[in-house]
């Protein structure tokens, strides 16, 4: 399991396009990826809950990746999406 704190630099924070990209990055994979903002933690597969976190640009979130083989690659993908490098 990997955990990493990431400062969101995507313009506008986590909006629909970002939330969908996060969900699609894990679609079809045997992986559990969560975003924690404040006291709330949600799966990136649940787009409406990711949006409900209300994460703005420059907010810090913690990303938790639990996936047998692809943890580092998935964490890198999550970071690229949240930092608007996708």
């Amino acid at each position: 399991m990997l955990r990493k704190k990431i400062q969101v630099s995507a313009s506008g924070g986590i909006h629909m396009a970002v939330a969908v990209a996060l969900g699609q990055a894990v679609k079809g994979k045997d992986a559990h990826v969560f975003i924690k903002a404040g006291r709330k933690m949600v799966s990136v597969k649940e787009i409406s809950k990711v949006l409900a976190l209300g994460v703005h640009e420059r907010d810090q979130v913690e990303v938790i990746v639990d996936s047998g083989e692809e943890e580092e690659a998935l964490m890198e993908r999550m970071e690229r999406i949240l930092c608007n490098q996708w």
Side-chain angles (χ1 to χ4, degrees):
M1 180 183 301
L2 295 177
R3 300 172 89 97
K4 186 171 186 176
K5 292 189 180 190
I6 299 171
Q7 183 174 11
V8 177
S9 58
S11 180
I14 297 180
H15 49 77
M16 182 61 83
V18 173
V20 169
L22 291 169
Q24 286 181 339
V26 297
K27 187 175 182 178
K29 298 186 186 314
D30 186 23
H32 302 284
V33 181
F34 300 92
I35 293 182
K36 185 176 179 184
R39 295 182 180 192
K40 297 179 184 175
M41 184 169 77
V42 300
S43 169
V44 298
K45 293 178 181 179
E46 299 182 75
I47 295 169
S48 62
K49 290 184 180 181
V50 172
L51 292 171
L53 290 172
V55 176
H56 300 284
E57 187 175 359
R58 290 187 229 106
D59 285 353
Q60 189 174 70
V61 297
E62 183 174 15
V63 177
I64 300 132
V65 176
D66 188 9
S67 172
E69 301 172 7
E70 303 176 346
E71 286 181 344
E72 290 181 23
L74 274 173
M75 181 63 80
E76 184 179 313
R77 181 76 177 128
M78 297 295 114
E79 186 170 14
R80 282 197 318 261
I81 293 168
L82 291 169
C83 294
N84 206 29
Q85 299 172 355
W86 49 294

